[in-house]
Amino acid sequence: MPYPLDRRGFYSLDRRGFLRTAGVGAAVLGLGGALASCGSDEPSTTTLSWWDYFTLDNFQPGMTRLIEDIEAGVPGVRIERRTFPFAELERQITLGAISGELPDIAIVDNVAMNSLGGSELLADITGRVEEWGQADQYYEGPWEGCQVGGKTLGIPNNSNCLALYCNTRMLQDAGVEPPTTWDELASAAERLTSGDRYGLALSAIRTEEGVFQFLPFLWQAGGDLDTFAAYGATALSFLDDLIAKGSLSEQCVGWTQQDVNTRFLNRRAAMQINGPWQIPTLKKAAFDWTVVALPRDREAATCLGGENWVLMAGSDKADKAWEVLEYTQRPSVLVPYLVSFGNLPARKDLADRGSWASDPALRLFLSQLPLARPRQYGEHYADAAQAVSEAEQAVLTGSASPTAAARTAAGKIDKALGG
């Protein structure tokens, strides 16, 4: 899914500092849970406040069914759901610590674990998970995305990642096979470029979407954020060469992932890097397409997206909230929910159930989840991500060399991550 952004397009705020400045402590967090519980329900009914950002109409049938299922299957529970615009949910959770209005349970973007995980707002469910005994049923990437400071602070809700879509006819006409390495990708993109059609489209926009698409190149080169000066330069050089050869449009610095998919649909790109959320639209395309794993360099890698379930530390209904969370992970509940949303499971034991079991494109994405890496870098990740984005923008617009841009970004990244 997309990611909650501040005015720069990134997560920000030091949550611990924010709470200290506001003078908010455990008493206010407790008040939040108490206020959320106000109501006129019968004593035998527990009303749980639930927040998410699924505001689009197409999500409502699946969410309504899920809540009805929970209320029917978990004794004495009523769900009071509240939705926020995508970019607002994380901020509202943070502000809720001041106002005393916090949910008992929420679904948040997995990248939000970087900031919320360091805020002391999320409940530590490590003990509950150990007693539950199902942690080993999840793919490593999604599960690691819920681990902060040695604690389990969430349960994966769903997962997605990136792969390479190819226009089948265009590749056949050019005598090109779907690329599996960087060298093959560069060669294929060059041969597929013709007229106003580019060989490859991707998002390099100056937001988390662009970082989401860039990080796989960094990891494939063999590096990470703590070695950005060297390996960031390698990844930036590869993309810069694609633009220099005309295989990738410089306009990608302003493209969202939806813009990228539109260009692929309009046949102005023979290949695109994108996620499984584009499949419903692509199934209506007037041409055949296929999807393959992202080409590798030194190693194979893709970036993990998706959401996590979290409980609030200040809730006085933690036991019942955990009961609900555990109930949502039952296959009979989880599979219909994921199918209705068009999402992929974060659980390995659901690989052969649901629509993804028979859909070749969805199965390809599912097969990549073991390689998908979470963006789990701590509460100052937003500053590091901004440095990455600035470096990519500088290189792809020709204002800095890959080496210089990577070196500058590395200094900012090290400072942000405490290196």
Side-chain angles (χ1 to χ4, degrees), residues 392-405:
E392 185 176 27
Q393 291 266 314
V395 170
L396 300 190
T397 58
S399 62
S401 70
T403 300

Side-chain angles (χ1 to χ4, degrees), residues 1 58-59 160 165 258 261 265 272 274-287 289 338-344 355 359 361-362 365:
M1 293 295 290
N58 59 297
F59 292 134
N160 61 61
Y165 289 90
Q258 189 58 47
N261 193 56
L265 281 169
Q272 68 157 337
N274 229 312
W277 56 85
Q278 306 292 8
I279 290 176
T281 301
L282 287 169
K283 285 185 175 180
K284 302 174 184 178
F287 58 86
W289 51 270
L338 293 173
V339 170
S340 70
F341 271 57
N343 288 330
L344 295 175
S355 57
D359 186 306
L362 287 174
F365 281 100

Side-chain angles (χ1 to χ4, degrees), residues 106-257:
I107 304 174
V108 301
D109 188 85
N110 63 0
V111 178
M113 302 300 286
N114 283 294
S115 47
L116 292 178
S119 69
E120 300 177 0
L121 286 172
L122 304 185
D124 179 1
I125 58 174
T126 305
R128 297 180 186 273
V129 167
E130 290 176 352
E131 183 178 351
W132 184 41
Q134 295 193 32
D136 60 352
Q137 295 299 325
Y138 293 83
Y139 292 106
E140 181 178 355
W143 188 255
E144 285 300 315
C146 293
Q147 311 304 303
V148 181
K151 302 175 182 178
T152 300
L153 298 184
I155 297 292
N157 173 283
N158 68 83
S159 294
N160 61 61
C161 60
L162 293 169
L164 182 71
Y165 289 90
C166 303
N167 182 308
T168 304
R169 181 62 181 270
M170 288 181 183
L171 267 68
Q172 289 176 344
D173 289 347
V176 172
E177 294 292 329
T180 61
T181 66
W182 279 17
D183 288 343
E184 291 176 1
L185 177 61
S187 175
E190 186 173 10
R191 292 174 63 180
L192 289 164
T193 298
S194 177
D196 64 353
R197 183 188 76 201
Y198 288 91
L200 176 66
L202 56 82
S203 172
I205 195 169
R206 192 173 175 174
T207 68
E208 185 63 30
E209 282 190 75
V211 178
F212 181 64
Q213 293 224 339
F214 176 79
L215 286 176
F217 289 100
L218 173 65
W219 297 328
Q220 289 159 9
D224 207 337
L225 291 184
D226 60 354
T227 55
F228 198 85
Y231 295 99
T234 301
L236 290 168
S237 293
F238 178 74
L239 296 179
D240 191 36
D241 287 343
L242 292 177
I243 287 182
K245 293 177 180 177
S247 305
L248 173 66
S249 173
E250 184 180 316
Q251 294 179 10
C252 69
V253 297
W255 289 349
T256 65
Q257 292 175 113

Side-chain angles (χ1 to χ4, degrees), residues 346-389:
R347 293 180 62 113
K348 296 178 288 187
D349 57 347
L350 298 185
D352 294 325
R353 310 191 190 193
S355 57
W356 51 84
S358 57
D359 186 306
L362 287 174
R363 286 205 66 82
L364 182 282
F365 281 100
L366 195 63
S367 74
Q368 295 306 294
L369 286 184
L371 300 174
R373 302 190 191 183
R375 289 155 288 166
Q376 194 74 331
Y377 293 100
E379 59 189 301
H380 299 295
Y381 166 73
D383 294 326
Q386 183 181 11
V388 171
S389 185

